[in-house]
Amino acid sequence: MPPYTIEIETTAYCSCGYCCNWEWGVRLPGHYYLGLSPSWRPLQLRQRKSQGLTEKRLPLFAKYWTTRNLAGFPYYGLTSNGSVPAQARPPLLSKLSLNQYQKIPGRLLMFPWRLLPRHGSIAADTDFYPFGTKMFVPGYGWGEVEDRGGAIKGKTRIDLYHHSHQQALQWGRRKLPVLVILPGQHPIDRLSIPGPLKSVLHGLNWCRGLLL
């Protein structure tokens, strides 16, 4: 299937306890942990589950899911495919970076490693968008499907990862025309060039019209 554009409802999320519905837990003897959550009951005794892991691999301090169907399972802040979630970061001289000009001084002076572009992490229904699907979201940049969520169903809903809860709130929920490229369908993926250079090309907004 060639790349196509579809209107998708995009929702922001981050790795905070509110967005991902987890709480810090202190491991206790037996099959229990002490849950620490910002609620009217900040300390709660909960039953924990190893999810097939041995007790030696479970750390003393861990994050634990508290959703109804995953209560007590450890959560380590990784995506469903085991990668570390990231927010999209376009190349410094791309159109999207120029639109976010207020971030350029910090990238140049305080955080020089942020000059390197990278794709963002997208959570989607993998029945429609398998892991590795690339998407260009206006205002966010290039992202890749690396995660899935129980509440994300259908082809018209995705979640976009943000670094902080404040940035997630600023994005909120938006319906946008999203460019969808299934694994192996992007012309850049078929080029015999180093991976970092591919990431740069994926981040350049003007490459969409030139390469598709």
Side-chain angles (χ1 to χ4, degrees):
M1 177 184 294
Y4 62 94
T5 300
I6 180 175
E7 186 175 79
I8 296 179
E9 182 180 87
T10 65
T11 305
Y13 78 104
C14 67
S15 57
C16 74
Y18 291 104
C19 287
C20 294
N21 199 13
W22 58 263
E23 66 183 5
W24 284 106
V26 180
R27 183 157 57 94
L28 298 177
H31 300 286
Y32 298 94
Y33 71 95
L34 185 64
L36 312 174
S37 59
S39 64
W40 67 277
R41 293 177 60 192
L43 300 178
Q44 297 189 54
L45 182 64
R46 300 185 186 275
Q47 186 174 7
R48 58 186 174 83
K49 303 167 185 177
S50 66
Q51 202 170 13
L53 302 176
T54 62
E55 290 298 311
K56 292 182 180 179
R57 293 181 60 186
L58 290 176
L60 177 61
F61 293 93
K63 303 173 183 179
Y64 289 87
W65 285 105
T66 56
T67 53
R68 182 172 56 184
N69 59 335
L70 291 174
F73 284 107
Y75 166 64
Y76 303 110
L78 301 176
T79 63
S80 297
N81 69 350
S83 61
V84 178
Q87 184 174 345
R89 186 167 61 222
L92 185 63
L93 298 180
S94 66
K95 180 180 178 181
L96 186 54
S97 283
L98 296 178
N99 289 338
Q100 301 172 351
Y101 62 88
Q102 68 276 10
K103 297 182 180 180
I104 293 179
R107 293 179 66 181
L108 286 172
L109 301 177
M110 300 177 62
F111 308 101
W113 60 88
R114 292 186 178 178
L115 295 176
L116 299 176
R118 70 179 179 194
H119 67 264
S121 299
I122 297 177
D125 188 339
T126 52
D127 288 339
F128 296 93
Y129 307 116
F131 289 139
T133 299
K134 294 178 175 63
M135 297 184 180
F136 183 85
V137 182
Y140 182 78
W142 282 103
E144 185 171 322
V145 176
E146 299 176 333
D147 208 352
R148 64 167 69 95
I152 306 174
K153 301 295 183 182
K155 62 190 307 182
T156 58
R157 288 193 61 190
I158 60 173
D159 286 356
L160 307 175
Y161 183 83
H162 288 73
H163 281 306
S164 67
H165 190 63
Q166 182 61 34
Q167 290 175 321
L169 289 177
Q170 290 177 354
W171 181 274
R173 180 176 298 173
R174 311 178 186 181
K175 281 190 175 182
L176 298 167
V178 175
L179 176 67
V180 178
I181 306 174
L182 297 177
Q185 295 298 315
H186 200 291
I188 293 177
D189 296 329
R190 297 192 288 269
L191 296 178
S192 298
I193 58 177
L197 183 55
K198 289 184 181 181
S199 297
V200 172
L201 294 179
H202 275 302
L204 295 172
N205 297 6
W206 50 266
C207 281
R208 294 195 307 154
L210 295 178
L211 298 176
L212 296 178

